[in-house]
Amino acid sequence: MILDEDVVRHVGFSGRALDILGKSDREIKFQLRKHTPEGRIVDCYLVYHSTARGPPCKGGIRISSDVNLEETAKLAEIMTYKNSLMGLPFGGGKGGIAADSSLSPEKKETLISGYAHEIREELYSGAYVPAPDLGTGPRQMADIFDITHNRSTVTGKPVGIGGIPGRREATGFGVSMAARLGAREILSSDISDLTFAIQGFGNVGAWASKFLADRRATIKAVSSIKGAVYEEDGLDIEELYNLRGELGDDCVNEYEGGEGMELGSELLLDVDVLIPAATGGVIDKAVAEDIRADMVVEAANAPTTGDGDEVLEERGIPVVPDILANAGGVVASYVEWRGARSGSKTRREETYQVVKENINEAFEEVSNIASETSLSMRKSAMIASCRRLKETMEGRGWV
Ligand code: NAD
């Protein structure tokens, strides 16, 4: 459970509310045995943490070798709080497939089709509406649509089958917005005067880098799973971005315009802002003790461990938490889902505008709570989210 004492006290949660939020509503696990890479058995999960504000439960499907039930449940819980912070009519859910994230689209297609077949009742009933996460993207969402043939059953689809322009880049766009707001409100600077290190150059990291570079931020380092690169005067993000187009998400080590670095050292660089945009748990106690950035913007889900967070707080390094910083994706998914149900059409500018408004409003709400309570941005974001959840559960007569 990611609720802490300060949050519980400020929200005034009863024991009953804590019992409800203290465990997953539902956990489904199964194996895929046929048509899997090398004929291996593949463990799969679907978790609903809270349906208080749903159904549907909303959260991406992750393909990664590390996927397990515990991680999927934790990510579903994060989605409960993120969706509530953004005021969306969604519970928190997450899907997981324990397989190599770098499989070819064809191999992923057989896995994701098998997965969608197994959870078909959840999809058809609208109980779970998936979206992309680590190791999945529009192509895999199209694979799900090929099974359900219903546009409102999955978001993050390619444009043409109900995907909306701007959804693909929405999480990275939201991260860049959160970084701009953090720079202004916390560091009293404009991002064009700041230096950045970004871990991960997939959907979220690459788009966040691009939007930041477009605003003349200096991005000194980026990484992907096969390596990190550094350039004191700033990397050529356009070139890296094009390289990703040719070679895919794990391309950074092939970039020739900077110095290669040991993977992980990008987290410890002397930059103004650090953006972890890859995977969870990378800022643990030891890393947090050595971080030299003045601010962390969490683009990945749960990149900071509990111990790591305590150290960052003790050291006075502000963190714009994941449920705020990376919420642009689920906000855009909401626009896509709503459009699929109403038949309305969405323009790219509209997607950006909705993400911008939602991140702005949530940032302001969280900053106000942080000033009133003197608590961290993370705890303040949880307070804002949980106040909404409490009201919803009271309205439903659950507490
Ligand atoms: P992705 O699969 O598109 O890209 C992941 C990137 O991280 C790749 O470049 C990969 O090489 C790199 N990577 C993986 N492990 C690494 C490591 N140890 N060190 C350095 N690089 C590493 O994934 P994504 O969709 O960009 O998701 C990234 C993170 O953002 C995840 O934590 C995900 O949960 C979170 N997130 C994604 C979305 C979304 O809309 N896709 C929304 C909210 C949050």
Side-chain angles (χ1 to χ4, degrees), residues 29 46 67 86 124 132 161 166 174 271 286 290 301 305 307 325 344 347 396:
K29 55 181 189 171
L46 174 60
V67 161
M86 291 293 133
Y124 293 137
I161 53 166
V271 288
D290 290 341
N301 280 314
T305 63
D307 287 358
S344 63
R347 287 175 297 113
R396 294 186 72 168

Side-chain angles (χ1 to χ4, degrees), residues 345-379:
K345 193 174 148 195
T346 308
R347 287 175 297 113
R348 185 178 303 274
E349 297 67 36
E350 207 181 318
T351 309
Y352 289 168
Q353 190 55 31
V354 178
V355 171
K356 191 173 166 182
E357 277 169 19
N358 277 268
I359 299 281
N360 268 328
E361 278 169 24
F363 197 98
E364 196 182 331
E365 186 182 7
V366 171
S367 299
N368 288 342
I369 295 173
S371 316
E372 283 159 23
T373 60
S374 303
L375 292 171
S376 66
M377 290 284 279
R378 187 186 307 286
K379 289 182 183 177

Side-chain angles (χ1 to χ4, degrees), residues 182-246:
R184 197 177 70 200
E185 305 298 325
I186 301 171
L187 302 181
S188 305
S189 296
D190 186 86
I191 53 167
S192 58
D193 296 324
L194 299 180
T195 56
F196 288 75
I198 302 183
Q199 182 184 59
F201 206 66
N203 182 267
V204 179
W207 281 107
S209 305
K210 187 162 168 27
F211 284 112
L212 288 168
D214 286 351
R215 295 246 163 201
R216 291 179 289 110
T218 304
I219 299 173
K220 284 191 172 187
V222 298
S223 64
S224 61
I225 190 78
K226 293 181 192 159
V229 282
Y230 173 81
E231 170 54 53
E232 177 63 23
D233 296 331
L235 296 160
D236 184 338
I237 293 298
E238 199 63 37
E239 204 176 308
L240 268 156
Y241 189 81
N242 292 337
L243 194 67
R244 176 176 177 256
E246 282 169 42

Side-chain angles (χ1 to χ4, degrees), residues 62 133-135 171 201-204 224-225 249-250 277-278 300-301 326:
R62 176 170 291 200
D133 190 63
L134 197 75
T171 308
F201 206 66
N203 182 267
V204 179
S224 61
I225 190 78
D249 292 340
D250 306 335
N301 280 314
N326 71 27

Side-chain angles (χ1 to χ4, degrees), residues 333-350:
S333 273
Y334 167 65
V335 176
E336 181 177 338
W337 175 80
R338 192 179 60 182
R341 294 167 76 86
S342 67
S344 63
K345 193 174 148 195
T346 308
R347 287 175 297 113
R348 185 178 303 274
E349 297 67 36
E350 207 181 318

Side-chain angles (χ1 to χ4, degrees), residues 24 26-28 45-49 57 69 72-73 76 92-95:
S24 309
R26 196 160 171 219
E27 294 180 344
I28 301 172
Y45 309 93
L46 174 60
V47 177
Y48 302 154
H49 169 255
C57 282
L69 182 59
T72 311
K94 199 79 185 183

Side-chain angles (χ1 to χ4, degrees), residues 71-303:
E71 184 197 65
T72 311
K74 183 175 172 196
L75 292 167
E77 187 178 1
I78 291 174
M79 288 310 299
T80 296
Y81 298 118
K82 191 185 303 180
N83 291 335
S84 181
L85 177 64
M86 291 293 133
L88 301 175
F90 295 145
K94 199 79 185 183
I97 301 177
D100 183 359
S101 60
S102 61
L103 287 172
S104 68
E106 292 72 26
K107 287 192 172 151
K108 283 186 186 174
E109 181 180 335
T110 51
L111 284 179
I112 208 100
S113 302
Y115 183 88
H117 177 73
E118 285 288 335
I119 63 159
R120 60 194 176 281
E121 294 307 329
E122 308 304 309
L123 297 170
Y124 293 137
S125 66
Y128 176 51
V129 180
D133 190 63
L134 197 75
T136 58
R139 166 67 199 275
Q140 287 70 43
M141 301 306 111
D143 295 336
I144 296 174
F145 176 73
D146 276 339
I147 304 269
T148 62
H149 291 197
N150 177 334
R151 290 177 179 213
S152 65
T153 55
V154 50
T155 61
K157 303 181 292 298
V159 176
I161 53 166
I164 55 169
R167 168 62 185 92
R168 197 171 43 127
E169 61 268 37
T171 308
F173 175 69
V175 169
S176 74
M177 285 296 311
R180 277 167 68 189
L181 292 164
R184 197 177 70 200
E185 305 298 325
I186 301 171
L187 302 181
S188 305
S189 296
D190 186 86
I191 53 167
S192 58
D193 296 324
L194 299 180
T195 56
F196 288 75
I198 302 183
Q199 182 184 59
F201 206 66
N203 182 267
V204 179
W207 281 107
S209 305
K210 187 162 168 27
F211 284 112
L212 288 168
D214 286 351
R215 295 246 163 201
R216 291 179 289 110
T218 304
I219 299 173
K220 284 191 172 187
V222 298
S223 64
S224 61
I225 190 78
K226 293 181 192 159
V229 282
Y230 173 81
E231 170 54 53
E232 177 63 23
D233 296 331
L235 296 160
D236 184 338
I237 293 298
E238 199 63 37
E239 204 176 308
L240 268 156
Y241 189 81
N242 292 337
L243 194 67
R244 176 176 177 256
E246 282 169 42
L247 304 176
D249 292 340
D250 306 335
C251 62
V252 165
N253 57 311
E254 299 291 335
Y255 175 75
E256 287 170 357
E259 251 174 75
M261 291 176 85
E262 198 186 322
L263 203 57
S265 52
E266 73 278 20
L267 297 172
L268 306 179
L269 280 174
D270 186 7
V271 288
D272 298 309
V273 184
L274 171 65
I275 304 189
T279 187
V282 292
I283 305 181
D284 58 15
K285 188 166 183 277
V287 169
E289 275 161 2
D290 290 341
I291 278 180
R292 288 190 283 166
D294 295 331
M295 179 172 78
V296 175
V297 178
E298 293 186 331
N301 280 314

